Amino acid sequence: MTSENFRDTRANLGWSIVLGTLMILLGIAAIAEPFIATIAITIVFSWTLIIAGIVRVVHAFQSRHKRGFWTKLLVGILYAIGGILLITNIFGAALSLTLAFGIVIFIEGVLEVIAAFQMRRDPNWGWVLFSGIMAIILGIFILARWPVSAVWVLGAFVGINFLFTGIWMIVLPLASRSLPDHRARV
């Protein structure tokens, strides 16, 4: 850690604790009410697509005299239409997003297992293998329980992510307090 990063970490300790605590509380709330969190995530994702579509359409018109105008315009329109379709059917969107999530995690796991066997000679390749196997199991679990898993998967997973993010946002700056100042000069 450079001395500048070290000083910044110590100076922003209060904000890190406040934001970390907020992340932990949001994580706990999402884990406690995964259905509500899933709906909230779906709404946020839908609006993100709509806004991104609008931005892409505006950008296409701003650069309409350049190459690729129609492609940019079409992509922007597709984003906006996709967002509108999702926001008008939140439960269907949650089903679709959960199915896509399960497929992506399963494929990620398969690719990690393949990568692990390709790097067998490297130290700690077993961790990549372990991660891949766990992703495959998780993907199968989500897909085997789909569509019922759509009720809780997105909310619970985002909640767990928020919880762990909040923990490191608090722990990391607190750990820097216990380091001596001469460490900042390194």
Side-chain angles (χ1 to χ4, degrees):
M1 178 180 290
T2 65
S3 60
E4 185 176 318
N5 289 343
F6 189 81
R7 282 191 299 273
D8 285 346
T9 301
R10 281 191 174 175
N12 295 319
L13 179 64
W15 279 110
S16 291
I17 291 173
V18 169
L19 293 175
T21 303
L22 180 62
M23 290 294 287
I24 289 170
L25 292 174
L26 286 172
I28 291 169
I31 292 167
E33 292 290 341
F35 176 72
I36 293 171
T38 296
I39 297 304
I41 292 161
T42 305
I43 291 169
V44 168
F45 182 74
S46 301
W47 277 106
T48 301
L49 279 178
I50 292 169
I51 293 167
I54 293 168
V55 168
R56 291 189 77 126
V57 166
V58 168
H59 179 261
F61 279 109
Q62 288 176 340
S63 61
R64 66 183 166 272
H65 300 296
K66 295 180 182 174
R67 194 178 272 191
F69 164 74
W70 291 106
T71 306
K72 292 176 190 174
L73 181 64
L74 181 62
V75 169
I77 291 170
L78 288 174
Y79 270 46
I81 290 172
I84 291 168
L85 290 173
L86 291 176
I87 199 78
T88 57
N89 185 1
I90 292 298
F91 297 112
L95 284 169
S96 300
L97 290 174
T98 303
L99 180 62
F101 185 63
I103 292 169
V104 166
I105 286 178
F106 178 79
I107 291 171
E108 174 192 357
V110 169
L111 294 175
E112 283 182 354
V113 167
I114 292 168
F117 283 111
Q118 290 174 345
M119 57 192 305
R120 274 189 311 247
R121 294 184 186 123
D122 294 345
N124 294 327
W125 72 276
W127 287 107
V128 178
L129 179 63
F130 177 74
S131 175
I133 291 170
M134 296 313 302
I136 289 170
I137 292 169
L138 185 59
I140 290 171
F141 177 74
I142 292 168
L143 295 172
R145 301 208 183 267
W146 188 86
V148 175
S149 63
V151 173
W152 60 270
V153 163
L154 296 176
F157 284 15
V158 168
I160 292 167
N161 182 43
F162 280 11
L163 182 66
F164 284 112
T165 299
I167 290 169
W168 77 252
M169 288 178 77
I170 293 171
V171 171
L172 196 63
L174 284 176
S176 73
R177 273 187 11 185
S178 63
L179 293 174
D181 283 334
H182 74 281
R183 172 84 189 261
R185 294 184 198 107
V186 175

